[in-house]
Structures are given as structure tokens and as C-alpha cells.
Amino acid sequence: MKKVSLEDKNFRIFIESAKIQEAIDAVSFKINNDYAKSNPIFICVLNGSFMFASDLIKRFNHDCEVTFLKVASYEGTQSTGSIKELIGINESISDRHVIIVEDIVDTGATLEAVVNELELLGPKSIKVSTLLYKPLAYKRTIPIDYAAIEVGNEFLVGYGLDYNGLGRNLEEIYIIEE
Ligand code: 5GP
Ligand code: MG
């Protein structure tokens, strides 16, 4: 049983590399079918999605464009809590088919902020692909069109996902050990 420690926490393997790749094969098969003729633009949400984005997009066999954005969170002045601002979208996405590439969708707050901002830029369509999806935690209504792997509410690291900045380089996904 493979284990890693990151800072003060121990993790054990949860999803093997081969399983991750199989799951990406399945979603990329669907995306290839759905976007064969529409020259989509993949918008990858940094930092966590970089590994998934690479593996997903290299399996896409038609014309496409790729860009990246970052979501900066800061506390708002009102009681609504954290406000999220997008950094780095320079491409025009007006009238384009957009595929958002996320590492993980948990409550959906980040995703909702991203979709709301992108919608202001007038895309033809927006769909969502994510490596990991936590349906039990999801509290929004935006459809999760291409979820590679559904998981429970546990905290995971590896394959792009971090614990305090560490673990993004791991090829497998690990779960925290209590
Ligand atoms: P949401 O806005 O959907 O609640 O949360 C999305 C963000 O929370 C992700 O982009 C990620 O940064 C973080 N997150 C949620 N669940 C996990 C997890 O299991 N592991 C790690 N490393 N980050 C997570
Ligand atoms: Mg993320």
C-alpha cells in the first residue's frame, strides 16, 4: 500500500494512476464526439487542473484552443463571504464553445464564479469537465457534464491537487489517513 507524508499529514493511495488514465479515456471519448467540428476552447483553471488538462487535451483529436485562468479569492466587505475574481482571460471567447477544465468540483462555489464571469463574455456554450466530482458536497445547479471520477467528501491530494502547496506532482491520488 503506497503511502506519502506531506507536512504533518499521512496519506495512503486512493486511486491508482492506471484508473485515472482509464477515467480520462472515457471522458475524452465523449468530448471528442461532442466537439469534433466546433473548434472548442479549453479553459483550464489553475493551479490544480494542470495535470488533468494535459492528459485530457492531448487526447482531443480535432481543432481546439487552450487557455488558462486563475481564480483569486478574497474576503468581501459584505457578509456574503468570499468573492472570486478571474485572472488571465485574454482570449476572446465570444461566440466560442468553451469547455472548462477543473481539478475538482466540491461545493461548486468556484465553478459557479467561473461560469458567471465567462458568461459575461458571450460564449456560444459552456460545458464543464472535471477530474474529480464530489456529488454529495455539490450545492449548485450548473450541470457537471464530464466528470471523470466521482468521489465522496474525503480530502484528496495528488495529480494536481495539493495539501498546503505540496503533493501536486504525485501521479496517483491519495486520501488523508486519520
Ligand atoms: P468548491 O469551490 O467546489 O467548493 O471547491 C473547489 C476547490 O476546493 C478546489 O479547486 C480545490 O482547490 C479545493 N478542494 C475541494 N476538495 C478538495 C480535496 O479533496 N482536495 C484538495 N486538495 N482540494 C480540494
Ligand atoms: Mg480548482
Side-chain angles (χ1 to χ4, degrees):
M1 175 79 65
K2 278 191 239 172
K3 296 188 183 230
V4 294
S5 11
L6 302 170
E7 272 188 358
D8 56 333
K9 301 256 186 291
N10 297 317
F11 297 83
R12 65 184 159 76
I13 195 153
F14 186 60
I15 310 172
E16 293 280 359
S17 170
K19 278 274 171 219
I20 297 172
Q21 296 301 321
E22 264 174 46
I24 298 174
D25 280 340
V27 282
S28 58
F29 182 81
K30 289 186 202 150
I31 294 176
N32 267 299
N33 278 333
D34 293 353
Y35 290 88
K37 296 213 167 68
S38 49
N39 185 16
I41 181 160
F42 289 93
I43 300 185
C44 313
V45 182
L46 294 173
N47 295 326
S49 77
F50 75 96
M51 244 188 230
F52 174 52
S54 166
D55 281 341
L56 179 76
I57 296 166
K58 71 186 150 193
R59 287 167 167 85
F60 188 72
N61 303 316
H62 312 282
D63 283 354
C64 68
E65 289 175 39
V66 182
T67 190
F68 300 86
L69 64 77
K70 239 183 139 122
V71 183
S73 301
Y74 56 94
E75 292 308 306
T77 50
Q78 298 151 344
S79 58
T80 47
S82 114
I83 293 171
K84 295 176 194 286
E85 183 195 8
L86 304 198
I87 301 174
I89 271 289
N90 305 314
E91 278 74 5
S92 166
I93 61 162
S94 106
D95 236 23
R96 299 292 305 273
H97 293 289
V98 168
I99 305 169
I100 294 171
V101 181
E102 267 284 17
D103 52 352
I104 186 162
V105 176
D106 186 8
T107 65
T110 309
L111 177 68
E112 184 172 73
V114 170
V115 168
N116 287 345
E117 287 291 314
L118 294 179
E119 263 169 1
L120 301 175
L121 304 173
K124 199 175 270 173
S125 69
I126 300 181
K127 286 200 178 184
V128 178
S129 67
T130 184
L131 174 70
L132 297 168
Y133 173 40
K134 294 182 170 175
L136 299 173
Y138 192 62
K139 302 231 158 46
R140 300 300 199 274
T141 54
I142 295 162
I144 309 302
D145 307 283
Y146 308 103
I149 302 171
E150 290 192 4
V151 293
N153 282 342
E154 49 276 336
F155 184 78
L156 306 172
V157 296
Y159 197 82
L161 293 151
D162 74 305
Y163 170 61
N164 287 348
L166 298 174
R168 294 193 195 277
N169 55 318
L170 297 165
E171 222 181 324
E172 307 85 8
I173 291 171
Y174 291 78
I175 184 167
I176 199 156
E177 261 190 341
E178 297 311 330

